[in-house]
Amino acid sequence: VADKLLTMLPSPVAAGVMLDLGCGTGYCTQRVRTLAPAASLLALDLAEPMLQRARSVPEVLPLCADAQQIPLRAQSVDVIVSSLTIQWCSDHAALFSELQRVLKPGGIALLSTLGPRSLHELRAAWADIDSGVHSNQFVAAPALVAAAEAAGLAVQCSQEMHVRHHDSLRALAQELKGLGANAVLQPALRGVSPAAFRAAEAAFARGRTALGIPVQLEVIYLQLQRSSS
């Protein structure tokens, strides 16, 4: 997903100020540095341990902050990239307002996120067991587009479906934990009994194929631009 997102960068990538919003372990940050070696590169994440890893990228300025409250002055960034981050933001109006604020006139933001068809199989496995929330409630593309346009950004949107296969519900849970999803899911899971988890594992396993148990991910790509005026 990150690699596809970065193909949406203008070619050649001009030098300027570039921000990796929700940099995680620095995968996009490193790729941006390779694509734009002369750029002033910033890497922002809410988790300090992630920033420790992103610091390995040459000449990057790490920022420990919230994407909904970016600690940069107005009209200071040429390009923002953000791969699979904004689904953790609770206030999309604030998020897009901040992107519009920090972008220079004509600046662009490239975002990837997950849509509501993602993890359908996980929700279905728990549906008959309890009424808890066991996955994020992802926002649909039209609502994201509307929020970005309301903030004054021009929007292009595309979507695609990915399918990943897992050996078990526990394996999926471990992958989500590795992605940082446990920050959202953990409160709901604290009260899950071993018997309930085993029942969910059995329900999840009913979808098994020769490749494993399929899980769909709906990926949304947003290309945003601030007006040049």
Side-chain angles (χ1 to χ4, degrees):
V1 171
D3 288 342
K4 177 166 182 175
L5 183 70
L6 293 176
T7 66
M8 300 174 186
L9 286 168
S11 183
V13 182
V17 179
M18 302 184 70
L19 169 64
D20 183 359
L21 190 72
C23 63
T25 59
Y27 180 83
C28 270
T29 315
Q30 182 61 69
R31 295 276 286 114
V32 169
R33 171 54 75 216
T34 301
L35 293 167
S40 297
L41 183 55
L42 313 174
L44 181 150
D45 205 281
L46 191 59
E48 176 62 27
M50 292 294 188
L51 287 175
Q52 294 290 349
R53 297 181 65 176
R55 282 188 173 94
S56 63
V57 178
E59 298 181 8
V60 64
L61 175 63
L63 301 171
C64 189
D66 188 336
Q68 298 164 147
Q69 295 179 305
I70 302 173
L72 297 173
R73 70 178 185 273
Q75 300 186 25
S76 60
V77 179
D78 295 281
V79 177
I80 296 170
V81 296
S82 180
S83 186
L84 297 181
T85 291
I86 68 167
Q87 65 269 20
W88 311 124
C89 295
S90 59
D91 187 343
H92 288 99
L95 168 71
F96 291 120
S97 177
E98 277 293 87
L99 299 186
Q100 196 273 348
R101 181 185 68 81
V102 302
L103 282 172
K104 294 180 182 179
I108 63 171
L110 304 176
L111 317 177
S112 62
T113 187
L114 298 178
R117 288 184 287 173
S118 298
L119 303 178
H120 165 76
E121 298 83 357
L122 173 62
R123 291 191 295 275
W126 285 100
D128 294 330
I129 298 168
D130 65 25
S131 58
V133 177
H134 296 277
S135 77
N136 291 45
Q137 302 302 301
F138 301 113
V139 178
L144 294 173
V145 170
E149 290 178 338
L153 296 162
V155 185
Q156 295 182 56
C157 178
S158 60
Q159 296 167 257
E160 63 185 19
M161 295 300 297
H162 291 254
V163 177
R164 293 181 59 79
H165 292 84
H166 301 271
D167 290 334
S168 65
L169 181 59
R170 193 171 300 278
L172 171 60
Q174 288 299 315
E175 178 171 286
L176 293 176
K177 182 177 180 180
L179 291 171
N182 59 312
V184 174
L185 299 178
Q186 191 60 37
L189 292 178
R190 287 194 189 111
V192 171
S193 70
F197 191 83
R198 287 194 298 271
E201 281 189 307
F204 184 65
R206 285 198 287 271
R208 186 179 301 280
T209 69
L211 297 175
I213 306 167
V215 175
Q216 296 184 84
L217 295 173
E218 178 188 8
V219 183
I220 301 169
Y221 297 95
L222 298 172
Q223 297 172 264
L224 313 177
Q225 185 166 28
R226 176 174 174 153
S227 169
S228 58
S229 60

